[in-house]
Amino acid sequence: MSCEDYQHLDRVVDILGEYGRYQILIMVLLSLTVIPCGYLGVLPIFIADTPAYQCRNWLKSMPCDGNFSSCYPSKVDANWSEAVEPCNGTDRCVDGWIFSNESYTIVSEWELVCENAWKVPISTSMYFMGVLLGSLIFGQLSDRYGRKPVLFLTILLQSVTALIQSASVNWVMFCVLNCMRGLGLVACFTTSCIIGSEMMGKSARLSLNLLGQCVATSIGLALLGMLAYFIRGWRMLLVATAIPSFFFLPFWWVIPESPRWLLSRGRVKEAEKVLCRAAKMNRIHPSLIMFKVDNDPPLLQHSSKDKQTFAFMDLIRTTNLRNITCLGCFIWFVSSMVFFGLTLSTGNLKGNIYLNNFISAATETGAYIFTWLLINRVSRPTLIFVSLMFTGMTLLVIKLVPEDMYAIIQVLVFSGRFGSSIAYGSKYLFFSELYPTVVRNTGLGVVATAGRIGAIICPYVIYIGDYNKILPFLIFGSLSVIAALLSLLLPDTRNSKLPDLINEAKPSRWYVAACLICFLYVNHA
């Protein structure tokens, strides 16, 4: 494809308008498709929660009990009201465990407590391992075979695997299916985001990403809390979360393939068809769209050399793309770790888990609306910097708060959640604008892979909280501060057109690093 063709397409998008009937329809449908992405990734909050438990043989003999959820017994009085003397720490449970009947999770199903407690973070990490593989696989497939097939394939994959997973007969089968279910999460969200970004103007692109898709994921998180409140069994909860995705499959006949991707593959007639359909729905004459605009040549002349295939190596072949990719990988690693870490930590906070989940969803929604209001008023790197720095400083302050002041700790955690949601929501828009069309999904797939590595690690960071409740927040906070500083090196894409070719990628702002180093040196001296 030539630069003139892409420039013509940009003018066509301008003629179609920002918020025509066609764009609004596509925005609504694409946003609906990502609602499951809001709850499928954080299902462990409820299906892997650890209910109160007690050893069965301790209950039978009644010489030892102690508090619920203890791996070692304590001697108690006859009415089990108060522990009076510790038992021998070598006493272990041999007859199995009895769990509270308030909820039925995989922990109570397979007794994943005490010496088996390590299996809980493993099962969550397996899901994000699938997300990592999906980022690598589907990013490449989307750039090669199209955005639309990958979008609907991942929607179907998430639904079918969740249904099969609800029939898991053991923990190993559950983990394998968890990995398979994770394959489609990020690919579904990213591909949906890219389809909208590549066929809409700047304003509509912002609204789709922040008010549409990101808010849709927070709605999904709120729906999860509501479903979990009424469905206390993990198997039926999986079934209930799998069913909605099947209603999105008929969108295949409405959601189009990205015309920008079609042009990059030389499939001009199909791109024309998509744009003509949009023009008719927006009541614009097709001749204004497809043939001549200010005497520009039509998009009809292409040779086989235009159909070049791009791969992962193209992301590091040039200096600009290499810098964007390296910085992006670390920023996505940290932002995803902190975002999912704070989300999954909801169950560990004091108070009602369902209420905490709702507050978490409301905080996330508010963050996305706040981002939408700011996104065109400040540069993209500045927004990422401020949000991550705010998150980091808020979480580091928790160290100064006494552990018995639960309310203040919760306020600080939800404040950090607010900041991490801003960074998490804006990074998709930011990096979709940084990468050229020919490698956009591949590039997002690579940086999202780094993000998934962070998500894989976050359950183990949370698991540290069983021994030191403050340490996970200190880890999240420290990494957020480092990522915030590095984000200042990225180029700003505000008010810029989407790059299409590799040589259009913007250079990094290394002069910012030089200024920062000089500032620190002068202050230190």
Side-chain angles (χ1 to χ4, degrees), residues 131-140 143 186-187 190 194 310-316 321-322 324-333 336 427-428 431 435 439-454:
V131 175
L132 184 152
L133 296 175
S135 300
L136 290 172
I137 296 170
F138 289 111
Q140 185 78 358
D143 280 336
V186 116
T190 303
I194 288 175
F310 297 87
F312 294 113
M313 291 303 297
D314 292 290
L315 299 177
I316 59 174
L321 275 182
R322 182 166 56 248
I324 290 171
T325 301
C326 292
L327 291 170
C329 284
F330 184 77
I331 292 170
W332 279 62
F333 171 86
S336 293
K427 72 182 181 182
Y428 280 95
F431 281 86
Y435 281 110
V439 291
R440 181 165 294 121
N441 222 357
T442 300
L444 284 178
V446 169
V447 293
T449 297
R452 295 324 126 197
I453 295 175

Side-chain angles (χ1 to χ4, degrees), residues 181-428:
R181 184 166 58 86
L183 284 172
L185 175 73
V186 116
C188 178
F189 185 90
T190 303
T191 306
S192 176
C193 175
I194 288 175
I195 289 177
S197 297
E198 292 183 342
M199 65 183 302
M200 295 181 183
K202 298 183 183 67
S203 177
R205 194 160 62 232
L206 292 174
S207 298
L208 168 67
N209 185 259
L210 296 172
L211 294 186
Q213 295 176 304
C214 288
V215 171
T217 59
S218 60
I219 291 173
L221 179 60
L223 289 175
L224 174 63
M226 183 183 68
L227 289 173
Y229 180 80
F230 293 104
I231 304 174
R232 298 301 177 94
W234 70 270
R235 295 182 186 274
M236 287 306 300
L237 184 57
L238 272 172
V239 172
T241 54
I243 290 175
S245 295
F246 288 103
F247 293 102
F248 305 143
L249 296 180
F251 293 176
W252 171 273
W253 287 275
V254 183
I255 295 177
E257 180 57 87
S258 164
R260 194 176 292 268
W261 178 84
L262 290 170
L263 287 175
S264 73
R265 308 298 293 180
R267 295 161 61 175
V268 183
K269 292 293 184 182
E270 296 176 57
E272 288 179 349
K273 185 177 179 180
V274 171
L275 295 173
C276 283
R277 183 180 177 186
K280 290 178 181 178
M281 185 170 288
N282 288 352
R283 297 177 180 176
I284 297 172
H285 198 280
S287 62
L288 296 175
I289 299 298
M290 297 318 303
F291 297 106
K292 289 187 177 181
V293 179
D294 298 332
N295 297 318
D296 284 330
L299 304 176
L300 298 176
Q301 299 175 2
H302 303 276
S303 62
S304 59
K305 66 180 180 180
D306 294 325
K307 302 179 182 180
Q308 182 179 356
T309 299
F310 297 87
F312 294 113
M313 291 303 297
D314 292 290
L315 299 177
I316 59 174
R317 204 178 302 278
T318 63
T319 301
N320 292 346
L321 275 182
R322 182 166 56 248
N323 291 338
I324 290 171
T325 301
C326 292
L327 291 170
C329 284
F330 184 77
I331 292 170
W332 279 62
F333 171 86
V334 173
S335 62
S336 293
M337 174 190 282
V338 176
F339 177 81
F340 284 105
L342 294 180
T343 304
L344 295 173
S345 295
T346 302
N348 296 331
L349 296 176
K350 295 290 183 179
N352 186 284
I353 186 174
Y354 305 102
L355 179 60
N356 287 341
N357 182 81
F358 178 80
I359 295 174
S360 180
T363 301
E364 190 175 327
T365 301
Y368 295 142
I369 296 174
F370 183 74
T371 305
W372 178 72
L373 294 174
L374 284 181
I375 196 72
N376 277 329
R377 292 173 170 81
V378 298
S379 70
R380 308 284 198 262
T382 301
L383 182 62
I384 299 288
F385 168 78
V386 172
S387 59
L388 286 176
M389 185 62 72
F390 174 78
T391 300
M393 299 308 295
T394 301
L395 296 178
L396 291 175
V397 166
I398 294 178
K399 175 65 177 177
L400 306 177
V401 180
E403 292 190 14
D404 58 344
M405 301 182 68
Y406 306 123
I408 295 178
I409 291 177
Q410 284 183 306
V411 169
L412 291 173
V413 170
F414 284 126
S415 297
R417 178 95 166 87
F418 182 85
S420 68
S421 297
I422 293 176
Y424 188 81
S426 54
K427 72 182 181 182
Y428 280 95

